Amino acid sequence: MNYKSGICTFCGTGCGHLLDVRDDKVCGVFPMQNHPVSKGRLCVRGWNVHELLNTPEKITTPLIRKDGKLVEASYDEAVSYLVEKLKKVSPDEIGFLASPRSSNEDNYLLMRLARSVFNTNNISLDCDPGHRISLDVLHKGTGMAGMLGSLEEISRADFMLVVGIDITKQNPIIGSEIHMAARKGSRVFTIDTRVTQIARLSNGFLQIQPGAYKIAIAYMAKVLLDENLADVDFIKKHTEGYDSFTKVLSSLKESEVVEKTGVDIEVLKTLARDLALSRSAMVFYSSGISGFDRETVSYIYNLYLMAGKIGKEGCGVNPITGINNLQGSKDMGIAPDLLTGFQKLSDSAAVDKFNKEWGVKLNTQAGKSPNEMGSKLRAFVAVDHDETIIRNVDDIKKTDFVAYIGSYQNGFMDYAHVVLPVATYAETDGTFTNTERRVQLAKKKVEPPKNILACWQVFSKIAEKAGATWSYGSPADVMKEIAKLTPSYSAVSHDKLGIGGVKTYGLDRYDAEKAANKAAFAPVDANFAVPLASEEYPVLLLIGESQHYWHQNNLMKKTHIPLREYNATLLLYPQGYVAISPQKAKELNVRDRFPVKIVSPYGSMETLAQVTDKVKPNTAYVAYFVDEMVTKFFMEHKDVLKRGEDTTIPVRIVKV
Amino acid sequence: MYLINKSQVLDIAKELQKEYQVYGPVMEKEAKQCMFVKVDDIAELDLNAPIPAKPPKHALFPQFERIMSYQYDKKNQKVEIKPDFDSSKKALFGLRSCDLTGVLCMDRFFLGQEFVDDVYKNHRKNMFIVTNTCNVPFKQCFCVCTDSGPSAQEGYDLNLTDLGDQYLVEAGSDKGKALAEKLGLKNSDDSHKKAKSEVIDKSINAFDAIAKDNKAWISRVVNRVTTGLIDEKVWEYIGNQCIECGACSFVCPSCTCFNIVDPVTGPETADRMRTWDSCSYEGYSRMAGGHNPRKPVEDRRSKRFFCKLSYSQSKKYLRPGCVGCGRCQWVCPGDIGLPNVVTYIRRDIQK
């Protein structure tokens, strides 16, 4: 049998697939019918994963920069050079940029390498804080750092709210599950600033003003309060901190809600009642780079807690991760202040455990994300990155030393002094944790090319050269150590992971009955300010994903069919596009593909207009994908972008 | 017609393996999923396995296939272009009749009158086909509505029908007959022929229970699709549910669309690759000047069902493009597998 079972490597859904392996090559892919999440479905990305695995754009040998050029070297030479350079700078000048694509084992070892060998806590993902906000809120509230519901239970949710996520594009198979549940009678409601596909498939849709999610959700909570629809028994038995939450709601005025959200208040009220009166309910929102701010996430969580729709069958607050192992990377302590399983560096008992296991004394001072180190960054190591846009490119250019470790060629190589190739995910064992905390094992299916090491072997080699003794024989050994040190992963071991794997915390979903502590309402404030358009900048610009372009995806560009689809967009709109409403187009006297200029207080850019009724007249939408557009325009809006891509920029659009 | 004991039926495959690469239904053990794949160990073949998730079309038309290689000799300024065909002889064993019908549709496309596709021809020539009658339809099937089952009518070398403790073996070609004679199979008589027709009648009757309202409407819908009398709103309703994954085309036994790409593999080498393509993708119908006659997703969707269920397409294949296997229903993230589309159109007709 030439089909080998595995896990799709693109998004956080974690679909099951079978790879067609012949003569040590991946020749095709097929969906896995008995997989608990995907049940025989894949999206356009998943159906073309073999094209990526066959790309000639792999890194084929270790490289060292000599006289400005990268030249071939051996692993020994390259690793020695890397260690020598990192030892030259002080630990707080080193930054590690990990990847939400790497397996749990690889992320764990990188985390160990940074903290225990190079003595620095400057390690993070590029998309920090993104998903971290959700994890913080949910962990603080329930003790569970991850999705509270279960994808398998979508069919058992009577009511579903999809908030600010284009889910059939970002995580198509989760979108499919929601749609299938709707066909069987569940009620699905979408709140978004744009008309998305799931909006069209929903029982109802509210097109909201940008930045007004928080006030809309807060108002739904207020409706529950005013109409005595809160689940008081549940609140009493399973929660704490309810009173301080309701106190915040008291100042909320209906007129303010109408003005700021721009939606029909009666519909919003009905929505709140439907939520409260349903037997079970879930909410889905985007987590990761395009996620909500802490306040909005807290309000969503509080609303569901208040309605008693957490910790029961078919219920849950579900942050949806965009990248395959974003959840796992956070679980592996890829953050300046975390150890594995959301154990904090500030927790001395947890640190002692790691000190003992690793035979070191860890620095417990939280580090910084390399993206935020600025000129302090002198040596920089990036692992397995897939974006074409490097955020802190100016800082990186100024550093003394840059290393890139990964399977595929990437923009970081232009600045790297050392490049270390590693095996692709089909060439080694590794586990990945999907958006619902499901840990799944993708087994090695093909041999790596001659002389290419797996990531865990490369990290072990680096550790060894730096004077540490690591004795892992396989990724399974690494997972044994992770399970030992991480309560939420204690049940995970490679030999027990079959189709569908297991979930962390040993729980399919958060269970209010079994929880050791009561779930706490998240602290929230009553600041419901929304971004305002002015006379000078009358349009609110939104940023997000587009159909086949996804997370500035360097990987998509290495395929054929998805690349063609992306190019189809780019051929129409070579400089990218700004989506404006037909009304706005008429006002500006432009038609589709006419050049326009977007002017903000920070700068301006020229692009083409895309005329669509998917956006409201006073908003515009830009797909975050064209290099120039992002580097020349959005990077100037650093403070704005830090709040996530859901943030909006007031702009003026003029005809060119 | 011949008979073979059930316990010996795999001897046919063993005999074939001497001369051919044998493909057949195999259960993947870990995922417990039936796949139609090349087998090395004949014992892995399972004639009782459910209809394979992946149709046998990939044996003739692989998902991702190198069809040519270029090599540039810089010094002598010479280019070498080599056709790179897999010309091994293949035998498809235990094919379901719907999948054989799919192969016949592909033949009409790739080996049609005007143009012959050499790559396909190399896979297809010298092929030996052993079909397997479906005694019981699988739950998503509707081959009786598309004239493609439950037992193969033409195009096979040998056709097997399970008669209890033995299989009836019908030879559909001289090649098939020669193999049956070589294996020394005993001849069947009229009682076996009758037994086969009883098996088929029973199987067809079983469709009543599973072919709910939608399936019997296929011929009416063919009429409607051909005459274009379907309300645009129905196509919009269908298009709204399309997630544009391409799965329906990839699992369809009769879908033949492909894309050609030329990846550069080294400083002086390149490949020509052929990959499966799908009409659900926007880039599929985009023309060189940027014009796209089927830009909205509902237009692309209606195209697919036009291809599967219209007279003009039937003229090309001499039969409907749909073979009634129901796989598109399995893999669709929306709810627009072909049987459901028939339901939506029926609802519209009945209005």
Side-chain angles (χ1 to χ4, degrees):
Chain A
M1 173 60 105
N2 53 311
Y3 277 88
K4 311 271 180 227
S5 62
I7 302 304
C8 185
T9 180
F10 286 120
C11 81
T13 314
C15 296
H17 67 193
L18 294 153
L19 290 181
D20 177 3
V21 181
R22 278 175 275 154
D23 306 327
D24 243 8
K25 267 188 119 171
V26 177
C27 305
V29 61
F30 204 79
M32 191 194 285
Q33 293 176 308
N34 294 318
H35 190 269
V37 177
S38 59
K39 300 180 192 126
R41 292 162 294 177
L42 288 174
C43 69
V44 58
R45 302 186 290 259
W47 268 107
N48 292 291
V49 68
H50 56 288
E51 296 181 346
L52 168 68
L53 292 168
N54 277 295
T55 179
E57 291 178 43
K58 280 187 197 167
I59 307 170
T60 52
T61 168
L63 301 162
I64 294 178
R65 193 171 293 276
K66 281 182 186 150
D67 305 325
K69 262 190 172 168
L70 285 171
V71 294
E72 282 188 27
S74 69
Y75 270 112
D76 270 337
E77 289 164 346
V79 167
S80 303
Y81 186 62
L82 179 140
V83 171
E84 182 195 317
K85 288 287 183 183
L86 292 189
K87 291 265 176 187
K88 258 189 198 157
V89 293
S90 107
D92 61 349
E93 293 169 334
I94 308 175
F96 286 89
L97 193 65
S99 164
R101 297 205 165 277
S102 303
S103 68
N104 288 326
E105 290 77 2
D106 293 346
N107 264 322
Y108 171 80
L109 291 185
L110 182 68
M111 190 274 290
R112 178 173 177 188
L113 197 66
R115 296 198 207 282
S116 77
V117 178
F118 295 104
N119 207 23
T120 178
N121 291 322
N122 299 333
I123 179 167
S124 84
L125 300 174
D126 210 10
C127 48
D128 219 55
H131 191 47
R132 177 66 189 273
I133 291 171
S134 289
L135 296 184
D136 276 342
V137 170
L138 299 176
H139 182 257
K140 205 164 174 210
T142 65
M144 182 180 271
M147 178 163 142
L148 302 182
S150 162
L151 296 180
E152 274 178 281
E153 289 185 7
I154 288 177
S155 58
R156 275 167 263 165
D158 285 352
F159 177 90
M160 277 174 275
L161 201 55
V162 180
V163 193
I165 177 171
D166 192 357
I167 199 160
T168 57
K169 299 285 181 273
Q170 185 180 315
N171 297 59
I173 301 308
I174 299 179
S176 169
E177 275 295 279
I178 296 172
H179 174 53
M180 292 301 188
R183 313 261 319 151
K184 293 201 176 87
S186 300
R187 282 180 59 72
V188 178
F189 220 99
T190 301
I191 303 179
D192 210 307
T193 49
R194 280 187 308 142
V195 186
T196 55
Q197 184 176 25
I198 196 73
R200 289 198 303 268
L201 293 171
S202 295
N203 299 89
F205 168 53
L206 284 178
Q207 191 163 12
I208 198 171
Q209 283 291 344
Y213 291 105
K214 177 181 167 184
I215 189 167
I217 300 286
Y219 183 69
M220 286 173 70
K222 189 159 188 322
V223 172
L224 295 198
L225 186 67
D226 292 349
E227 301 188 6
N228 292 321
L229 288 169
D231 188 342
V232 282
D233 293 342
F234 178 86
I235 292 168
K236 208 167 172 188
K237 196 168 162 208
H238 295 296
T239 73
E240 60 193 23
Y242 180 54
D243 292 341
S244 47
F245 174 54
T246 53
K247 235 177 256 162
V248 180
L249 293 175
S250 59
S251 65
L252 189 57
K253 300 250 173 358
E254 195 173 301
S255 56
E256 192 187 357
V257 180
V258 173
E259 183 199 332
K260 286 183 172 162
T261 60
V263 301
D264 183 344
I265 198 87
E266 289 308 318
V267 179
L268 204 54
K269 276 184 189 164
T270 316
L271 201 54
R273 292 176 198 134
D274 282 359
L275 163 67
L277 298 173
S278 64
R279 193 184 50 86
S280 52
M282 285 185 178
V283 55
F284 300 85
Y285 62 91
S286 178
S287 198
I289 198 156
S290 50
F292 288 133
D293 61 8
R294 185 178 306 265
E295 280 287 315
T296 309
V297 171
S298 298
Y299 267 104
I300 292 173
Y301 164 75
N302 284 356
L303 171 68
Y304 269 65
L305 204 55
M306 182 179 182
K309 299 296 186 284
I310 284 178
K312 300 179 194 165
E313 191 188 38
C315 292
V317 172
N318 304 330
I320 301 300
T321 57
I323 303 180
N324 63 340
N325 204 32
L326 179 53
Q327 175 69 35
S329 315
K330 295 286 182 193
D331 287 345
M332 290 306 112
I334 302 295
D337 60 335
L338 291 180
L339 291 160
T340 62
F342 230 66
Q343 300 173 89
K344 302 236 162 52
L345 262 184
S346 53
D347 169 359
S348 59
V351 173
D352 283 347
K353 193 164 62 175
F354 282 83
N355 280 343
K356 210 172 141 203
E357 181 67 29
W358 292 348
V360 291
K361 191 160 178 354
L362 290 178
N363 167 9
T364 56
Q365 187 71 40
K368 269 191 167 173
S369 160
N371 287 346
E372 283 165 13
M373 287 167 68
S375 58
K376 186 91 181 149
L377 183 68
R378 287 189 59 207
F380 176 70
V381 182
V383 179
D384 194 16
H385 265 257
D386 69 324
E387 50 275 84
T388 43
I389 298 153
I390 301 170
R391 286 201 173 194
N392 54 340
V393 68
D394 294 335
D395 298 338
I396 290 171
K397 278 183 196 159
K398 286 184 210 140
T399 54
D400 304 343
F401 177 76
V402 176
Y404 182 68
I405 302 172
S407 309
Y408 303 103
Q409 292 170 18
N410 180 283
F412 281 111
M413 286 174 71
D414 299 342
Y415 312 104
H417 300 92
V418 167
V419 176
L420 289 164
V422 295
T424 67
Y425 87 105
E427 294 162 353
T428 179
D429 286 358
T431 61
F432 298 88
T433 307
N434 82 349
T435 189
E436 52 161 355
R437 306 176 288 101
R438 185 187 292 278
V439 186
Q440 304 186 93
L441 175 62
K443 282 188 210 144
K444 175 175 176 173
K445 292 168 194 76
V446 291
E447 284 299 323
K450 227 175 113 201
N451 305 325
I452 297 288
L453 298 176
C455 203
W456 65 273
Q457 289 168 314
V458 171
F459 291 155
S460 297
K461 223 178 170 65
I462 296 171
E464 194 184 311
K465 282 271 190 247
T469 21
W470 288 7
S471 52
Y472 305 108
S474 68
D477 283 354
V478 181
M479 185 45 84
K480 268 183 208 151
E481 187 174 306
I482 296 169
K484 191 173 162 193
L485 293 167
T486 317
S488 57
Y489 275 69
S490 60
V492 181
S493 102
H494 280 207
D495 50 12
K496 282 189 214 143
L497 293 174
I499 301 292
V502 298
K503 291 199 192 169
T504 57
Y505 296 94
L507 287 171
D508 270 348
R509 60 169 161 75
Y510 175 71
D511 192 330
E513 296 292 339
K514 287 185 193 156
N517 299 310
K518 286 185 170 183
F521 278 85
V524 286
D525 64 31
N527 174 10
F528 297 112
V530 291
L532 288 177
S534 61
E535 211 166 299
E536 198 183 359
Y537 302 107
V539 177
L540 293 174
L541 186 73
L542 307 154
I543 313 156
E545 324 261 315
S546 84
Q547 172 90 35
H548 293 96
Y549 208 77
W550 171 74
H551 293 275
Q552 311 130 49
N553 204 335
N554 191 28
L555 298 181
M556 256 338 81
K557 286 189 180 171
K558 292 178 170 51
T559 63
H560 303 299
I561 294 276
L563 172 67
R564 181 194 67 190
E565 294 305 306
Y566 161 60
N567 282 343
T569 311
L570 211 55
L571 280 162
L572 282 178
Y573 308 103
Q575 299 147 275
Y577 61 82
V578 54
I580 55 172
S581 67
Q583 192 183 326
K584 186 79 199 169
K586 208 172 166 192
E587 218 174 273
L588 293 173
N589 196 18
V590 297
R591 282 191 284 164
D592 199 54
R593 297 172 68 187
F594 273 39
V596 290
K597 193 172 177 184
I598 304 176
V599 187
S600 88
Y602 300 86
S604 69
M605 68 170 171
E606 272 190 31
T607 183
L608 299 176
Q610 183 192 57
V611 182
T612 168
D613 52 12
K614 288 178 183 168
V615 293
K616 283 184 156 191
N618 54 355
T619 65
Y621 171 80
V622 165
Y624 187 63
F625 71 109
V626 179
D627 289 17
E628 262 183 46
M629 210 160 91
V630 175
T631 46
K632 296 218 174 110
F633 184 69
F634 291 120
M635 286 303 165
E636 298 306 314
H637 297 74
K638 267 185 188 144
D639 297 340
V640 187
L641 284 178
K642 221 183 251 177
R643 280 179 272 145
E645 282 178 29
D646 180 55
T647 41
T648 46
I649 306 170
V651 296
R652 182 171 70 236
I653 299 176
V654 289
K655 188 180 174 181
V656 176
Chain B
M1 286 195 269
Y2 307 87
L3 292 168
I4 190 165
N5 284 336
K6 239 182 182 172
S7 56
Q8 287 161 328
V9 71
L10 292 184
D11 288 354
I12 299 173
K14 267 184 211 148
E15 187 59 35
L16 285 170
Q17 205 175 28
K18 290 177 186 163
E19 208 183 322
Y20 299 89
Q21 282 186 354
V22 176
Y23 286 71
V26 176
M27 287 298 281
E28 204 279 336
K29 286 178 194 73
E30 209 183 349
K32 298 188 183 62
Q33 176 167 338
C34 180
M35 303 289 277
F36 202 94
V37 290
K38 197 181 117 196
V39 285
D40 296 319
D41 179 7
I42 293 295
E44 279 189 326
L45 287 171
D46 185 354
L47 284 178
N48 295 316
I51 180 170
K54 186 169 195 176
K57 92 166 169 190
H58 68 102
L60 297 94
F61 174 37
Q63 189 169 10
F64 194 57
E65 181 185 28
R66 189 165 74 163
I67 56 176
M68 207 189 267
S69 63
Y70 308 82
Q71 172 93 41
Y72 179 55
D73 182 349
K74 211 171 181 178
K75 216 167 96 194
N76 301 313
Q77 295 208 324
K78 256 190 182 164
V79 180
E80 195 188 1
I81 299 178
K82 263 196 309 203
D84 184 27
F85 297 162
D86 166 17
S87 50
S88 54
K89 287 170 81 175
K90 297 185 178 76
L92 308 184
F93 181 84
L95 205 66
R96 300 290 179 178
S97 60
C98 52
D99 288 339
L100 173 63
T101 313
V103 173
L104 299 179
C105 285
M106 289 206 294
D107 286 353
R108 295 233 156 75
F109 176 78
F110 284 117
L111 309 173
Q113 304 97 336
E114 289 166 54
F115 177 76
V116 172
D117 185 289
D118 283 340
V119 186
Y120 181 84
K121 196 169 127 195
N122 261 279
H123 288 298
R124 182 71 170 101
K125 71 179 183 196
N126 303 323
M127 182 170 268
F128 196 101
I129 292 180
V130 183
T131 45
N132 182 18
T133 301
C134 294
N135 291 30
V136 184
F138 300 100
K139 76 170 196 278
Q140 83 285 0
C141 295
F142 52 102
C143 60
V144 288
C145 311
T146 55
D147 188 28
S148 47
S151 190
Q153 310 272 355
E154 55 165 352
Y156 56 82
D157 294 298
L158 291 175
N159 181 35
L160 305 173
T161 306
D162 186 346
L163 297 180
D165 49 2
Q166 53 192 353
Y167 276 97
L168 178 71
V169 184
E170 292 163 280
S173 69
D174 293 344
K175 225 167 28 174
K177 198 169 173 193
L179 187 86
E181 295 288 344
K182 193 176 175 195
L183 286 168
L185 302 186
K186 55 181 185 255
N187 286 314
S188 66
D189 54 38
D190 279 353
S191 70
H192 299 110
K193 203 175 163 185
K194 199 169 157 241
K196 181 196 165 185
S197 80
E198 274 166 20
V199 162
I200 290 174
D201 285 348
K202 208 175 147 200
S203 178
I204 290 173
N205 286 334
F207 276 92
D208 283 348
I210 55 159
K212 292 191 194 123
D213 52 8
N214 53 8
K215 292 168 184 169
W217 275 74
I218 284 179
S219 57
R220 274 294 295 278
V221 168
V222 169
N223 180 306
R224 280 283 161 145
V225 171
T226 307
T227 50
L229 286 175
I230 294 166
D231 191 348
E232 244 171 73
K233 286 212 174 73
V234 178
W235 292 125
E236 266 171 38
Y237 177 76
I238 291 162
N240 276 346
Q241 295 185 56
C242 180
I243 282 171
E244 299 168 61
C245 64
C248 48
S249 313
F250 298 158
V251 298
C252 182
S254 70
C255 268
T256 46
C257 290
F258 58 82
N259 187 29
I260 296 284
V261 283
D262 294 353
V264 175
T265 51
E268 287 160 14
T269 55
D271 283 340
R272 168 154 293 180
M273 306 296 293
R274 166 142 101 182
T275 76
W276 287 350
D277 205 345
S278 170
C279 52
S280 65
Y281 298 149
E282 189 181 329
Y284 170 89
S285 54
R286 192 189 57 81
M287 296 175 181
H291 176 60
N292 194 339
R294 296 197 180 273
K295 196 166 185 306
V297 61
E298 57 266 26
D299 289 359
R300 279 177 264 143
R301 292 302 64 204
S302 63
K303 171 79 177 67
R304 171 173 170 80
F305 298 105
F306 193 79
C307 193
K308 299 295 160 200
L309 297 173
S310 78
Y311 289 141
S312 39
Q313 286 292 308
S314 302
K315 270 194 228 160
K316 187 168 91 187
Y317 298 125
L318 305 177
R319 55 155 292 108
C322 175
V323 301
C325 69
R327 287 186 180 96
C328 49
Q329 187 96 325
W330 253 347
V331 295
C332 184
D335 204 9
I336 48 171
L338 192 130
N340 276 3
V341 166
V342 169
T343 305
Y344 305 147
I345 296 175
R346 177 186 63 97
R347 272 191 218 154
D348 186 52
I349 296 173
Q350 286 179 325
K351 250 192 332 205

